[in-house]
């Protein structure tokens, strides 16, 4: 029953609503059937949605493949597989795992290491530095 009808009746009881053709008590079997139908409809909609997006993705993939063919680009998976095969072939016969590349600036340059005292001394005022140097 809609809100306007309730307001017009001044908040009348459920019996008044039934007399005016409103909601009636429903059979539990009918409710169960209705719920099953609703669930089935939802499943069907979900399957249709998945089919639609699978079709769209297939169309996109054919378009991507056309671009790859046109410009001679390999798929990521293929490129990664080739790189992995090259790594395995390079380490073939080795008893240890292959070395990983060291990023630039990570230990390949000789840096002067400062002691903790030298670092602290930089931040102390002049008279205190003189005291520690003695």
């Amino acid at each position: 029953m809609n809100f306007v009808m309730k307001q017009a009746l001044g908040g009348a009881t459920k019996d008044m609503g039934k007399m005016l053709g409103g909601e009636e008590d429903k059979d539990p079997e009918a409710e169960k059937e209705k719920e099953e139908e609703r669930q089935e409809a939802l499943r069907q909609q979900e399957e249709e949605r998945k089919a639609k997006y699978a079709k769209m993705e297939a169309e996109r993939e054919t378009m991507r493949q056309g671009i790859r063919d046109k410009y001679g680009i390999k798929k990521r998976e293929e490129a990664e597989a080739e790189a992995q095969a090259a790594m395995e072939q390079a380490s073939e016969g080795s008893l240890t795992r292959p070395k990983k590349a060291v990023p630039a600036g990570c230990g390949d340059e000789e840096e002067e290491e400062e002691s903790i005292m030298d670092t602290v001394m930089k931040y102390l005022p002049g008279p205190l530095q003189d005291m520690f140097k003695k």
Side-chain angles (χ1 to χ4, degrees):
M1 182 172 15
N2 62 21
F3 180 75
V4 177
M5 183 64 93
K6 284 184 179 180
Q7 293 300 318
L9 292 174
T13 63
K14 292 181 181 179
D15 295 334
M16 287 292 290
K18 287 180 185 177
M19 284 191 273
L20 295 173
E23 295 180 31
E24 298 178 10
D25 289 334
K26 295 183 179 178
D27 183 26
E29 288 290 322
E31 287 182 23
K32 187 175 179 182
E33 265 183 46
K34 201 172 200 178
E35 181 63 23
E36 288 175 3
E37 288 176 10
R38 189 180 72 77
Q39 292 293 332
E40 182 60 34
L42 286 174
R43 277 192 290 273
Q44 185 177 1
Q45 286 177 345
E46 184 69 16
E47 288 172 7
E48 289 173 0
R49 185 188 66 79
K50 286 181 180 180
K52 173 185 168 187
Y53 285 108
K55 179 182 174 187
M56 288 170 54
E57 185 60 29
E59 290 173 0
R60 287 189 191 116
E61 187 58 35
T62 56
M63 189 177 288
R64 289 184 197 120
Q65 190 58 45
I67 293 170
R68 283 190 210 106
D69 293 342
K70 182 177 179 181
Y71 294 105
I73 302 170
K74 294 181 180 177
K75 272 186 158 180
R76 279 192 182 148
E77 295 89 24
E78 292 174 2
E80 289 174 0
E82 287 180 5
Q84 183 68 22
M87 286 286 287
E88 290 173 1
Q89 193 174 31
S91 64
E92 193 172 297
S94 176
L95 297 176
T96 59
R97 63 183 172 91
K99 292 182 181 179
K100 294 184 179 178
V102 179
C106 292
D108 45 339
E109 298 175 11
E110 292 294 323
E111 297 178 7
E112 292 183 23
E113 293 186 20
E114 295 183 3
S115 68
I116 296 174
M117 279 303 288
D118 293 335
T119 308
V120 171
M121 292 293 276
K122 288 181 184 176
Y123 296 104
L124 291 175
L128 286 176
Q129 286 181 0
D130 294 337
M131 279 180 24
F132 281 112
K133 285 182 183 178
K134 292 180 183 176

